[in-house]
Amino acid sequence: MEYYSIATVLIVLSSIFGYINVKFLKLPITIGLMVITLAFTVIVVATAQFDDTLLLQEKAFISSIDFETVLLDIMLSFLLFAGALHTNFQQLRIQRGPILAFATLGVLMSTFLVGVIMFYVLQWMNLNVEFIYCLLFGALISPTDPIAVLGILKKAGAPKKLETKIVGESLFNDGVGVVVFLTIFAIAAKPEAAIEFSDIATLFGQEVIGGLVLGLILGYIAYRSMKSIDNYEVEVIITLATVMGGTMLAHKFHLSAPLAMVTAGLFVGNDTVRNAAMSEITETYVDKFWELVDVLLNTILFVMIGMEMLVLTLEGKYIYAGLLAIPIILMCRYVSLWLPIKFFAKRLDFVPKTNLIMTWGGLRGGISIALALSLTKDMHRELFLVITYIVVIVSIIGQGLTVEPIIKRLTSKKN
């Protein structure tokens, strides 16, 4: 009953805040819900000066939610499958080179650069944090969030090839980023133990390659099943079973569930499979079902992110470190994208200022917060949680509100 109560409260709040956003603010849903939830949280804190009953109840409610497990083990698979299902596969295939480079080389380079710079910044602030933990922070903050950026990009009317690069990168770099984080986490958790490079390579390979292979197998099984029947109700259930069963299998065999779901979603969603396996009515119902799942889970996720502010340790130095981290992370992202863009610019036609747009359009979201919540106390969890939260809030609201005019301004000048 407890899980039902938590889900009920979150959905009721999401519907109320979603209504307020659509009726009055008219912002993209992720930004609107974040703004309204933060405002609601500030009001709760303000009223606590007179009566702290509501504040204590909300704190107890937030503490009862295992944000890390809910997002990483449950919601993320649904959200990534839905995002991949509606991604232009043909454009993705054309842009596969830079997308692969951004999602692998870009994430690794960003992880290292953020880790190194934050280590020296924190030392300068007299916050003695070991380098391995700064590297861990670099890993959790480097992946961009397709959930936050997808709707904003569509509204901005970004050129298709640019939208594909940003969305394709963020779909895959979530999976790669989580694997990089888990690899560094395993090293940081046992500083005395000798960890061989072969162990790291095995873990990385098993998670990444295993996840991709599992996704292909799941996508093929779903395709063959849907092709052999013509019943839209059952075919929608098959896609749902693909996500839920595939996620369970990925966790059981220690494979990357995010990469498996992205691969399965791309397989089922590409035009060849759609034309061969789905009737027109099935395609409509599958798309509408996953759009609804996407919106529902998005609303719940960003309400949770906004409410998490109540359980943070908001010390002055932590807030200052978070504000300093914002330009550092943006600079590191710009640098990490520069080499792949330069390399592929000769072969592919890039939109002018692609690096600048991708840097500003690479929003951080719930995945970073979930990974920060998984840190232990010894890894300076409270410090990195505050820094991550500040970066995510500024990213979603600040970058999210300005990325549309920036894209329109920069892409309208191409000739």
Side-chain angles (χ1 to χ4, degrees):
M1 190 63 186
E2 185 185 350
Y3 296 121
Y4 179 79
S5 301
I6 290 170
T8 301
V9 171
L10 287 172
I11 289 173
V12 169
L13 285 174
S14 298
S15 67
I16 294 169
F17 295 165
Y19 177 84
I20 293 169
N21 179 56
V22 171
K23 185 77 174 174
F24 303 105
L25 299 185
K26 304 185 190 308
L27 293 170
I29 190 164
T30 50
I31 300 172
L33 285 166
M34 178 73 79
V35 170
I36 295 166
T37 310
L38 287 174
F40 173 73
T41 304
V42 169
I43 291 168
V44 170
V45 172
T47 57
Q49 307 306 313
F50 310 100
D51 183 0
D52 64 355
T53 305
L54 185 58
L55 176 63
L56 293 174
Q57 285 179 341
E58 191 173 341
K59 277 190 173 181
F61 174 73
I62 288 298
S63 300
S64 68
I65 301 172
D66 187 346
F67 187 98
E68 177 205 347
T69 301
V70 168
L71 178 56
L72 293 181
D73 292 349
I74 302 170
M75 292 174 70
L76 187 57
S77 291
F78 289 89
L79 290 164
L80 290 177
F81 182 87
L85 192 69
H86 299 115
T87 299
N88 187 316
F89 185 78
Q90 295 307 318
Q91 271 293 326
L92 196 67
R93 192 166 58 82
I94 294 167
Q95 306 288 344
R96 64 186 181 277
I99 287 171
L100 184 62
F102 295 148
T104 52
L105 179 64
V107 168
L108 290 168
M109 192 182 296
S110 174
T111 296
F112 179 74
L113 291 174
V114 171
V116 169
I117 297 172
M118 284 304 296
F119 173 72
Y120 287 108
V121 167
L122 293 175
Q123 294 294 319
W124 172 71
M125 293 179 65
N126 294 318
L127 291 167
N128 295 316
V129 180
E130 291 178 38
F131 176 66
I132 189 71
Y133 303 140
C134 293
L135 209 57
L136 204 52
F137 170 71
L140 71 87
I141 207 68
S142 290
T144 55
D145 194 334
I147 302 157
V149 78
L150 206 54
I152 296 166
L153 279 177
K154 288 192 187 318
K155 191 170 180 286
K160 274 294 173 192
K161 55 189 173 185
L162 176 62
E163 182 185 322
T164 303
K165 286 187 186 76
I166 298 176
V167 174
E169 177 218 3
S170 56
L171 283 171
F172 282 102
N173 75 10
D174 275 351
V176 174
V178 170
V179 174
V180 172
F181 175 84
L182 292 174
T183 304
I184 299 173
F185 188 94
I187 298 168
K190 298 177 181 177
E192 301 87 9
I195 299 180
E196 299 290 335
F197 175 77
S198 58
D199 296 335
I200 297 171
T202 302
L203 172 64
F204 196 85
Q206 178 182 337
E207 288 271 352
V208 173
I209 298 169
L212 293 172
V213 170
L214 176 62
L216 286 172
I217 293 169
L218 291 169
Y220 182 75
I221 292 171
Y223 156 65
R224 295 299 301 180
S225 303
M226 293 166 76
K227 188 180 180 183
S228 64
I229 60 172
D230 183 15
N231 183 292
Y232 73 86
E233 297 103 330
V234 176
E235 290 178 72
V236 169
I237 294 171
I238 288 170
T239 61
L240 185 60
T242 300
V243 175
M244 297 179 76
T247 301
M248 187 179 288
L249 283 172
H251 291 152
K252 182 175 177 61
F253 295 106
H254 305 290
L255 311 176
S256 173
L259 287 175
M261 291 307 106
V262 169
T263 308
L266 289 172
F267 193 107
V268 174
N270 85 77
D271 290 339
T272 305
V273 170
R274 283 174 178 268
N275 294 336
M278 300 185 206
S279 64
E280 193 173 324
I281 189 169
T282 297
E283 191 172 351
T284 301
Y285 273 93
V286 167
D287 285 340
K288 292 298 179 188
F289 173 80
W290 283 103
E291 282 173 20
L292 181 60
V293 169
D294 194 26
V295 171
L296 174 62
L297 294 184
N298 259 309
T299 56
I300 293 171
L301 172 60
F302 284 92
V303 166
M304 286 198 298
I305 291 174
M307 294 174 77
E308 280 288 330
M309 186 174 77
L310 286 176
V311 296
L312 298 177
T313 307
L314 294 173
E315 289 186 18
K317 274 191 176 182
Y318 291 4
I319 295 171
Y320 187 36
L323 294 173
L324 287 174
I326 295 165
I328 291 169
I329 290 162
L330 286 170
M331 181 189 71
C332 292
R333 174 160 172 80
Y334 187 91
V335 172
S336 67
L337 294 173
W338 182 82
L339 192 62
I341 287 174
K342 282 292 179 187
F343 181 79
F344 287 101
K346 295 173 184 176
R347 303 184 221 174
L348 294 170
D349 181 25
F350 277 62
V351 172
K353 307 289 184 185
T354 291
N355 199 346
L356 187 60
I357 296 171
M358 287 190 68
T359 297
W360 198 250
L363 309 185
R364 269 67 183 185
I367 292 153
S368 294
I369 291 177
L371 293 175
L373 283 165
S374 71
L375 298 174
T376 64
K377 190 176 180 181
D378 295 339
M379 296 171 178
H380 304 274
R381 180 181 185 270
E382 296 305 321
L383 166 64
F384 287 126
L385 192 52
V386 172
I387 295 174
T388 303
Y389 195 86
I390 289 170
V391 170
V392 168
I393 294 296
V394 172
S395 172
I396 291 170
I397 297 177
Q399 291 170 237
L401 285 173
T402 54
V403 72
E404 182 180 347
I406 285 173
I407 288 175
K408 285 181 175 176
R409 184 184 179 90
L410 292 177
T411 56
S412 65
K413 292 181 178 180
K414 61 175 184 172
N415 44 32

